[in-house]
Amino acid sequence: MKKGYFGEFGGCFVPELLMPPLQELEEAMRDIMPSPTFKEELDDLLRNFAGRETPLTYCPTLSKRLGFSLWLKREDLLHTGAHKVNNTLGQALLAKHMGKTALVAETGAGQHGVATAAAAARLGLECIVFMGAEDVERQSSNVRRMKLLGAEVRPVQSGTRTLKDAINEALRYWIAAQETTHYCFGTAAGPHPFPTLVRNLQSVIGRETRAQMLEKTGRLPDVVVAAVGGGSNAIGMFHPFVDDASVRIIGVEAAGTGEPGCYNSAPINLGTPGVLHGQMTMLLQTKDGQIEPSHSVSAGLDYPGVGPEHAYLSAIGRVHYGLANDAEALDAFQTLCRTEGILPALESSHALAWVLRHHGELPAGGHVVVNLSGRGDKDMDIVEQHLHIS
Ligand SMILES: *Cc1c(COP(=O)(O)O)cnc(C)c1O
């Protein structure tokens, strides 16, 4: 495959001025990351700061109801409440080894901003987070968390004042600050080498799952399922299983309200190929290439694009990308709370919702793993609004 490409997807469509820091990053990935020192330091951070390894939890009640064994990979138990810290600790440590003194990041709902701020504080790096002004208002508790962790939050007033605009501003900032600053990108998307870097850092999810399944059941799972926003928790779960033909792999995109013609966050199912944020990928866009607004009840899935490796895995038919809508995710959220005693993030609830709806197509007596990418405490207000419980 062409370097930086996944089939026809991926690449590095950026202004000339961004090429030097991206090349520097690619070299650092090659020269620094494989070293035993780097690996040991990252392993120590993941274990003793973030809380790895995370459990693989068997769900007794739902398994009985569904007719197969349901397992959850518990990324919700990590420090800062989601898988994102796997990536930010890796990139912060790499930045430090590269001699950088600061991180810049974008954030939508604020989860990646918080995970970046925590990693920066831990490793003694400055931290600037670009966030759409609209999101700053909607996600005030994460803004407060970032500030308490010592980060500077810069509201972005351009465009729709959301994630897509924050990424543009962060890339622009990086051009000027590349000497001292690493861009800690939040998902397995963007220009090469970010999709590969983030995937490699998140693959710890799938590697652990594989070993845990073998230890607990003596076999590989029959099905692994994860929600897809930009695609980092999903590719982290999927990548170590891609070469195992016996393992069915399901990505779940957010269908939004699910009504025809309404905004959604499902570019693989409902989008077309195009270029955004430095990559060729599947996008929600008009016929003449204007990016369309995305919508999902879950802020973390609300992105009009998707990482290029997912676009590729869909195109070659290795991974099936299904849909779950807002109402189904809210139902799955409640189901998991009440049957298994776990509050899942609304993002992760989409993956569970797909399993609940399609359980008849899954192998009776088999083993199904859902990646529980984050915890749902952050979503309580939204859930209560929709469910009218208080
Ligand atoms: C950010 C987030 C996601 C979506 O991002 P990906 O890069 O697609 O993983 C999913 N789940 C949780 C809990 C998140 O915070």
Side-chain angles (χ1 to χ4, degrees):
M1 235 175 310
K2 223 163 87 189
K3 188 175 74 124
Y5 277 81
F6 306 92
E8 61 174 304
F9 301 104
C12 192
F13 299 82
V14 297
E16 205 52 43
L17 289 168
L18 269 177
M19 289 310 288
L22 288 167
Q23 265 155 15
E24 189 191 1
L25 180 59
E26 196 180 358
E27 282 158 23
M29 285 167 62
R30 187 193 60 210
D31 299 338
I32 298 171
M33 292 182 80
S35 81
T37 320
F38 183 89
K39 283 190 182 160
E40 267 163 41
E41 287 175 15
L42 181 56
D43 190 62
D44 178 63
L45 285 168
L46 290 175
R47 186 183 301 269
N48 297 309
F49 180 71
R52 299 212 76 88
E53 67 177 27
T54 59
L56 184 66
T57 301
Y58 177 70
C59 296
T61 309
L62 281 177
S63 295
K64 197 181 273 175
R65 193 184 290 176
L66 296 167
F68 48 77
S69 295
L70 179 68
W71 304 84
L72 302 175
K73 182 59 173 163
R74 301 293 306 282
E75 297 295 294
D76 60 312
L77 294 177
L78 286 175
H79 179 43
T80 67
H83 68 290
K84 289 198 167 74
V85 76
N86 301 322
N87 173 42
T88 61
L89 284 173
Q91 290 201 46
L93 186 64
L94 185 61
K96 199 148 179 161
H97 279 261
M98 292 168 75
K100 306 290 177 190
T101 56
L103 299 180
V104 60
E106 82 295 341
T107 197
Q111 295 298 108
H112 174 61
V114 170
T116 305
R122 165 75 197 207
L123 290 164
L125 300 163
E126 305 270 306
C127 182
I128 296 179
V129 181
F130 286 89
M131 187 172 189
E134 180 82 23
D135 292 331
V136 171
E137 278 159 39
R138 285 191 294 199
Q139 312 287 343
S140 64
S141 74
N142 276 337
V143 174
R144 281 155 56 209
R145 279 192 190 99
M146 285 184 262
K147 290 182 176 169
L148 288 169
L149 290 163
E152 182 193 329
V153 179
R154 295 208 184 163
V156 173
Q157 303 289 354
S158 54
T160 51
R161 306 156 85 228
T162 57
L163 176 60
K164 144 178 101 51
D165 314 293
I167 295 177
N168 289 331
E169 284 305 317
L171 285 168
R172 203 163 295 156
Y173 176 88
W174 198 29
I175 291 180
Q178 52 185 271
E179 210 57 44
T180 57
T181 303
H182 169 70
Y183 184 3
C184 184
F185 200 78
T187 189
H192 176 71
F194 283 116
T196 304
L197 173 61
V198 177
R199 178 251 274 156
N200 290 350
L201 290 170
Q202 292 291 1
S203 291
V204 65
I205 302 172
R207 282 198 307 273
E208 279 181 13
T209 302
R210 189 188 178 87
Q212 288 167 317
M213 274 307 286
L214 286 171
E215 189 196 305
K216 287 172 196 287
T217 69
R219 41 179 290 200
L220 293 178
D222 298 290
V223 188
V224 296
V225 188
V228 180
S232 69
N233 86 89
I235 203 71
M237 174 58 92
F238 298 170
H239 193 254
F241 293 107
V242 162
D243 291 334
D244 298 301
S246 71
V247 179
R248 263 179 84 186
I249 307 182
I250 314 279
V252 182
E253 294 193 304
T257 59
E259 278 150 39
C262 279
Y263 292 138
N264 60 78
S265 300
I268 294 180
N269 279 281
L270 302 169
T272 50
V275 172
L276 176 69
H277 298 141
Q279 67 197 312
M280 165 69 75
T281 190
M282 297 299 285
L283 299 175
L284 300 172
Q285 58 186 340
T286 62
K287 280 206 177 66
D288 38 322
Q290 296 294 317
I291 297 302
E292 289 193 279
S294 52
H295 164 77
S296 170
V297 68
S298 124
L301 300 181
D302 204 333
Y303 178 59
V306 64
E309 195 165 5
H310 288 291
Y312 169 69
L313 289 169
S314 170
I316 63 169
R318 176 61 187 98
V319 176
H320 171 70
Y321 291 85
L323 291 164
N325 66 33
D326 292 350
E328 290 167 335
L330 287 159
D331 264 1
F333 178 102
Q334 269 205 309
T335 300
L336 196 68
C337 290
R338 294 182 180 183
T339 54
E340 305 291 345
I342 298 169
L343 261 96
L346 276 175
E347 291 84 3
S348 328
S349 301
H350 283 73
L352 186 66
W354 190 93
V355 170
L356 297 179
R357 174 149 169 219
H358 295 265
H359 67 93
E361 303 160 29
L362 299 174
H367 295 274
V368 175
V369 177
V370 169
N371 194 24
L372 208 74
S373 52
R375 64 172 180 236
D377 307 57
K378 67 183 177 60
D379 296 318
M380 283 192 299
D381 290 348
I382 294 176
V383 170
E384 285 172 357
Q385 271 168 32
H386 280 84
L387 301 176
H388 306 292
I389 50 173
S390 54

